[in-house]
Amino acid sequence: MYIPVSTKSYIRNVVTKAGGIYIHVPFCQKRCLYCDFYSTTYGLEWKRLYVSALRREMLSRRSEIDSSRVPSLYIGGGTPSQLPASLLMEMFQAIAESFTFAEDAEITIEVNPDDVTPRLIEALHQTPVNRISMGVQTFSDKLLRFLNRRHTSAQALQAVRLFREANYNNISLDLIYGLPGQTFDEWKNDVDMVVNLGVPHLSAYALSYEEGTALHKMLEEGHVVETPDELSWQMYDYLMDKTADAGMEHYEISNFAIPGKQAQHNSRYWNGSPYLGLGPGAHSYDGENIRRSNNTSLKEYVQATEDVPHQTEILTPRERYDEIVMTRLRTFSGLPLGVLTAEQRTYCLQMAEPHILNGNLVREGDVLRLSKRGIFVSNSVISDLMF
Ligand code: SF4
């Protein structure tokens, strides 16, 4: 439910809370077939205007969280590594003017493999970045070309090598499975490559055909077909087994990490903590019932003289309940029933009962968790528990 409320009331709710920061960098060199994230292919002048506007937004919104002890920063997009080194430096200067990080803060930047050069790494060395997230998606050059990705498999391997040589070992790679025409062996090779590389974190997503994307159009026109469920499950099953053998914890449906290397920032999304989202299209959350989303328009963003154009959403208790169920059940630590009201808890347990009986859900004390079998049907289990 979208209700326009004043920024003041939003600020009242979030002020002084320790919150993570997300910065959306809305630039890509070209668009990948499957992607529905907000980004543009605008050039250098727009990047300059963006960084200036970002500085303004940071200064005007820093009081929405406790800016003196920020626990995590995630710079995503888009493609942050498409900013030239000088603008990256400028962005970090602006961040430092508005925020101070906790000593153990996790500071992540997303990069595209073919942007990773000694020059980029040299620039990152002058920033507090201590975690790298790289969109590899697949090590099959044929599939990379099909997806309109810019990089090759060799460039992805080279990027990991360059980062490691520069002592960036906290690396997360993204993979996608269920790509059109992808065979089980191609997927097996992707997972094996990541495990053999020994990176501490892997995010692996099932391909989804998002409306408005080029891939969705291809599906509608019959140029591609969706991967059969059975093959998707086989791929996911292999992913779970292989990562478990490698000592990685399956801590969220799509995320795997060696102990201690779980994504701190993303975990804030899943456990309902507050975060401040900056940049066009970025979302913020007060940790209770207010969400804000900046408009997905770079033009409006750079032209804003006061508050950035945005929408604010007040969650009803039912919407809040649905969110808690949806996000917490995705995690290995599960849904702690104690976070629900008495009425919600009764409803939740009533809806969960058939799934506990058929083994999709496990109840351990006051926590509900998906079983391994339940993970395969997580969407329907979770939607059954929602209002
Ligand atoms: S997947 Fe990444 S690089 Fe590709 S269009 Fe989306 S944001 Fe840009």
Side-chain angles (χ1 to χ4, degrees):
M1 176 179 66
Y2 272 101
I3 298 178
V5 294
S6 76
T7 301
K8 264 190 192 156
S9 71
Y10 171 76
I11 291 173
R12 241 195 336 269
N13 276 277
V14 293
V15 75
T16 73
K17 286 180 183 170
I21 300 174
Y22 172 77
I23 294 181
H24 192 79
V25 181
F27 301 101
C28 292
Q29 196 171 308
K30 61 180 187 176
R31 299 281 306 163
C32 307
L33 283 193
Y34 55 89
C35 180
D36 71 337
F37 293 147
Y38 174 64
S39 74
T40 69
T41 52
Y42 299 170
L44 185 59
E45 194 44 40
W46 282 99
K47 291 175 184 170
R48 287 203 186 101
L49 292 170
Y50 161 77
V51 172
S52 302
L54 184 65
R55 170 178 264 127
R56 285 199 297 277
E57 191 188 11
M58 284 193 247
L59 287 169
S60 70
R61 296 186 61 206
R62 64 182 168 187
S63 59
E64 293 182 29
I65 54 167
D66 179 350
S67 60
S68 68
R69 52 182 174 121
V70 178
S72 65
L73 166 66
Y74 191 101
I75 303 174
T79 316
S81 54
Q82 276 287 294
L83 289 179
S86 57
L87 285 180
L88 265 180
M89 294 296 101
E90 218 179 284
M91 181 169 84
F92 274 99
Q93 247 169 29
I95 292 169
E97 280 166 18
S98 290
F99 303 103
T100 304
F101 291 96
E103 221 168 273
D104 58 350
E106 178 194 82
I107 301 182
T108 306
I109 188 164
E110 284 181 354
V111 300
N112 236 44
D114 56 328
D115 290 332
V116 180
T117 59
R119 183 162 160 66
L120 174 75
I121 293 178
E122 201 184 298
L124 292 180
H125 263 310
Q126 294 166 56
T127 72
V129 165
N130 54 25
R131 185 170 181 273
I132 305 296
S133 172
M134 188 152 59
V136 171
Q137 320 311 3
T138 170
F139 286 94
S140 156
D141 285 334
K142 176 193 74 180
L143 288 169
L144 286 169
R145 275 194 303 276
F146 168 77
L147 294 172
N148 206 28
R149 294 289 303 182
R150 285 189 279 137
H151 70 277
T152 61
S153 153
Q155 283 173 314
L157 294 173
Q158 160 88 343
V160 172
R161 190 177 62 73
L162 286 175
F163 274 123
R164 281 185 164 156
E165 283 172 4
N167 283 326
Y168 285 100
N169 294 306
N170 197 1
I171 299 172
S172 175
L173 301 184
D174 285 4
L175 292 179
I176 304 178
Y177 63 95
L179 297 169
Q182 186 180 35
T183 64
F184 176 76
D185 283 343
E186 283 169 330
W187 173 245
K188 181 174 176 295
N189 181 58
D190 287 347
V191 178
D192 291 354
M193 291 284 272
V194 172
V195 166
N196 293 339
L197 281 169
V199 291
H201 192 278
L202 165 64
S203 299
Y205 302 98
L207 178 70
S208 65
Y209 291 81
E210 301 294 340
E211 244 177 84
T213 62
L215 195 62
H216 187 264
K217 190 157 181 263
M218 289 168 78
L219 181 70
E220 280 188 328
E221 290 173 354
H223 300 305
V224 292
V225 289
E226 286 189 73
T227 301
D229 282 351
E230 204 177 312
L231 177 56
S232 283
W233 289 342
Q234 202 190 349
M235 289 172 160
Y236 191 67
D237 202 28
Y238 182 77
L239 168 72
M240 288 199 290
D241 287 348
K242 186 74 186 180
T243 47
D245 287 349
M248 296 176 101
E249 286 174 353
H250 189 181
Y251 72 103
E252 197 267 352
I253 285 182
S254 306
N255 286 280
F256 306 79
I258 63 164
K261 293 295 180 190
Q262 287 93 343
Q264 297 305 310
H265 184 82
N266 290 354
S267 296
R268 302 185 72 81
Y269 299 146
W270 304 318
N271 69 22
S273 301
Y275 52 86
L276 176 66
L278 304 161
H283 295 259
S284 305
Y285 176 52
D286 75 341
E288 287 171 24
N289 65 341
I290 302 182
R291 291 199 171 281
R292 161 183 162 137
S293 41
N294 286 354
N295 292 3
T296 50
S297 164
L298 180 58
K299 286 187 183 163
E300 285 182 21
Y301 187 73
V302 302
Q303 282 165 2
T305 46
E306 292 187 0
D307 201 1
V308 167
H310 65 274
Q311 286 192 296
T312 304
E313 180 185 13
I314 301 179
L315 300 176
T316 63
R318 283 189 168 203
E319 286 167 333
R320 181 75 194 107
Y321 163 87
D322 284 350
E323 274 211 357
I324 292 172
V325 167
M326 196 163 53
T327 50
R328 301 286 182 104
L329 271 184
R330 288 184 61 90
T331 65
F332 178 76
S333 43
L335 167 63
L337 295 166
V339 301
L340 304 176
T341 63
E343 186 202 345
Q344 288 171 342
R345 181 192 162 96
T346 305
Y347 175 81
C348 181
L349 284 173
Q350 196 184 330
M351 303 314 284
E353 198 179 338
H355 289 294
I356 295 173
L357 290 174
N358 68 21
N360 288 332
L361 283 173
V362 178
R363 183 176 177 188
E364 282 165 5
D366 226 23
V367 173
L368 271 184
R369 208 189 331 268
L370 287 167
S371 64
K372 183 174 177 185
R373 168 199 159 124
I375 290 173
F376 286 101
V377 285
S378 57
N379 285 347
S380 67
V381 175
I382 290 172
S383 78
D384 283 352
L385 266 61
M386 287 162 68
F387 272 115

